[in-house]
Structure formats: C-alpha cells, structure tokens
Amino acid sequence: MANGLYVHSEIGPLKKVCLHRPGEELLNLTPDDLERLLFDDIPFLEVAQAEHDKFAELLREQGVEVLYIEKLVAEALDAAGSREEFTQQWLDESGLKGKEARAAVKEYMDSIKDTKAFVDKCIAGLRKNEIDLPVRSSSTLSELVGADQDGETDLLVDPMPNTYFTRDPFAVVGRGVNLNHMFSVTRNRETLLGKYVFRDHPEYKDAPLWYRRDSAFHTEGGDVLNINAHTLAIGISQRTQAAAIDALAQNMFWGDNAEKCEITDIYAFNIPVSRAFMHLDTVFTQIDVDKFTIHPGIMGTLQVFRLTKGAAEGEVKIEELNDTLEHILEKATGVDAIKLIKCGGGDPVAAAREQWNDGSNTLAVAPGKICVYQRNSVTNDVLYKEGLDLIVVPSAELSRGRGGPRCMSMPFEREDI
C-alpha cells in the first residue's frame, strides 16, 4: 500500500475514509440558485454539521480513521508549494468575468494566509459584497452583465455545496483512482480538490490514475462499485457515459499503469436515465457477502455488458448479458445465492418515499454492518429483520442534499474479506 490507498470491495472492514464536513458553502445556497447548484432545498447548516459530526463519530467508534478532503488539499498545497497553481486553476473554473474582477478575487484569496481557511473559502464561494470591486471591473458588455446582474447579494463565485458527497468526484479502485470528469459544471469543480490530493499529497501522490478529469466523457464515483479485487461494476447512467467506461477500460487494461491495475472484469449496468436512478449506488448497494439493498424499480431483466481485456493490443472484448440483477450479481461475485432486499420492504409508497431519502444508499463498515439514515424507518426495519447490524445516522438535514451514507464517504482503505 505504497500510496495509502487499498480498496478491493464494498464491504471489507473499513479502515480509512474521506469525508467533507458541510461548511459555509451551504450558507451561499439561495432559492434562485438551487436548481443550478443541484439542490432541492436549503439545509440548516448548524444541524447538518451536528449530524455529520455524529456520522464521523460513529465511524471512529468502529475503528475507522476519518480524513477530511479540505484538510488533505491544504496539506497537499503546503507540501508541494502548489497553492498559486491551484488558485489560478480555481479562478479559471470559477465562472468569473473580467480581468479586474479576477484580480480582485485573487487578491482577496491571497490575503487568506492559513491554507486550510483558503481551501474552505474556495469551497464556500464568494458573494459580491465580500470584495471591493474596482469601479471599472469590466471592459466588455458580457463582462459587465456577468459582474453586475443582480446586485450586492448575488454570488460572485459559486459555492460547491455538494462537496459533502465525497463519493462522486473521484473513486478509489484497488490501489488507484478514477479522477472523474463530472456531469455538471457545478460539481466538476470539486474534482480539482482530488487532482491536487492525488498529485501533491505526500501520502497519496503516487496513486495511479485510471481516469482523468480532463477526459472528454463524464463519469461519477456513485456509479462505481468494487465487487472484488478483480471485478468492477459501473453504471451507464444519467451521470456516467458509456464512452467514459470505454476509456476507463482502455486505461485499466492497456494504459500506462495497466500493470498496476488488478481489474480483469468490468460489468457495465445500463440503468434508466432519471433522478431516481441517478447513480448505480441509488439502484443497489452491497451490504454483506451475499446481500444487496436495491431500488424495487430495477427488478426484471437488465442489459449489462461485461468488458474484459482482448488478445490484440488495445482490444477490449464486450459481452452483452441480459438477465436479472440477482443472476448478474451472482456471476460477478461468484456467490451462489444473492439476496436482494428492497427499499421500503416492497411497499410502493414507502419505497418511493425512502428512495427519495436514499434508503438503498448505505455504507458498509464491515460485512453485514452498515450505516443507514435514521429517517428510512421502513427499510431499516426490514434490514434489521434480515440480520444486518445497523449504525443509524441522524439525517433530517443531511438528506436534503439527496445523498446517503455511501454518497457522503469515499473509502481510502479497506481490509480484504
């Protein structure tokens, strides 16, 4: 484990995990910006932080080392002396218009001496009334409109309110990382954080990249499930393109770091393009050696593709499999009898309500021991009766972001099963 990363399953005992504690970025959410920033509601920050702190505490009680992405980025920038480079790239991706506005924002950001506070502010965003813009901060009509569209309470630089869903910007696979190109401009800015951690942090800078954020096609970590050391499941979804999986397979089987990649089989699940099926982990999540939680809407015959390394240089073999989820998972895991546990216990009303609050989106800290949202009481009762050991996370405010315990976490290290 030379680079500090080691993840060969979804259920091996969790040793190290990366989180982000919700911060002032949630205070920069306004009703008019919710859709653009991918939120349905405005969480109450104080309560969301308390709930997240409890989540982290529960993980530590299970012997898990909790890392925070904002701290890792600060450590990486300090270690490599790359804060100036990071700042310039953050400005490039900030949506700022006008040289004067950019210069004013850079001067403000440079005035934040503590690197951790600087990273926090990059995530939080800036309001126009926080900075004294020069009277002539724009020299073209487009710059003038962009800099002065709605008055002092408007945002100058958008926040990154989804950062507490650390699952999506990158995904640890084996000893390497998928550094993603995300579906939306809003969220793709978050991948900049991962770029500097996996390039500059002393503990993680040697990690091979199976995918890069400057790739042409979009993919997200919620679509990636580590079935075992040699098998990966990926969703073809609203957020992950089939072409991205093609590129990932090329990198894993034939790329510059192919000799370091242990993956031999990639199962690509073609799932419906809708909010309810946003990522593969909203459809099913592994919770034990032979058990998965599932969205009831995924029952029936699925179209799945198995990608393996071909014989000729650069060749990837693709086999189409049309079968039930149960049978596909039995084939992928090598387990004879997989049990699928429906969100909401099969009740259509409960399933719809609790799927909205990520009832199928659980985080395993060990086989059969899983973190669940408190509010999904029907699903939790079913899981308890199936013999699962539940670690219950308070979720009144965290759930407003539409992501569960798995969405809020990125494992860096798991023990083998």
Side-chain angles (χ1 to χ4, degrees), residues 78-95:
D78 285 341
S82 51
R83 175 168 161 169
E84 174 65 20
E85 181 188 357
F86 177 94
T87 302
Q88 294 293 348
Q89 193 164 2
W90 177 81
L91 288 166
D92 289 343
E93 300 181 16
S94 68

Side-chain angles (χ1 to χ4, degrees), residues 364-375:
V365 298
K369 181 179 285 191
I370 56 175
C371 295
V372 298
Y373 268 170
Q374 182 182 35
R375 65 185 302 155

Side-chain angles (χ1 to χ4, degrees), residues 43 53 86 126 130 155 206 266 318:
D53 290 344
F86 177 94
L126 282 86
E130 291 184 83
L155 299 168
D206 295 326
I266 299 172
I318 302 176

Side-chain angles (χ1 to χ4, degrees), residues 35 55 65 69 72 100 133 143 170 184 188 216 227 231 237 261 287 314 327 329-330 333 343 371 392 403 405:
E35 183 176 358
F55 178 45
E65 180 183 354
I69 186 66
L72 292 177
E100 289 86 354
L133 290 173
E143 291 172 357
F170 52 85
S184 70
N188 199 48
I227 300 298
T231 307
S237 70
C261 186
I287 55 177
H327 290 157
L329 290 175
E330 287 171 354
T333 61
C343 178
C371 295
V392 181

Side-chain angles (χ1 to χ4, degrees), residues 185-196:
V185 172
T186 291
R187 292 218 64 188
N188 199 48
R189 294 171 64 216
E190 299 168 39
T191 66
L192 188 63
L193 306 176
K195 172 184 175 177
Y196 283 82

Side-chain angles (χ1 to χ4, degrees), residues 175-221:
R175 295 174 172 87
V177 179
N178 297 354
L179 183 57
N180 296 324
H181 171 187
M182 297 185 73
F183 173 72
S184 70
V185 172
T186 291
R187 292 218 64 188
N188 199 48
R189 294 171 64 216
E190 299 168 39
T191 66
L192 188 63
L193 306 176
K195 172 184 175 177
Y196 283 82
V197 169
F198 298 116
R199 197 196 72 179
D200 291 348
H201 196 285
E203 291 185 44
Y204 307 109
K205 64 182 181 180
D206 295 326
L209 297 182
W210 314 131
Y211 203 81
R212 295 179 181 274
R213 72 188 299 266
D214 59 359
S215 299
F217 307 104
H218 54 77
T219 180
E220 298 190 358

Side-chain angles (χ1 to χ4, degrees), residues 243-264:
I245 301 174
D246 286 332
L248 178 66
Q250 275 291 331
N251 290 336
M252 288 185 159
F253 298 152
W254 297 104
D256 293 341
N257 290 306
E259 73 283 353
K260 300 178 183 178
C261 186
E262 300 162 272
I263 297 298
T264 58

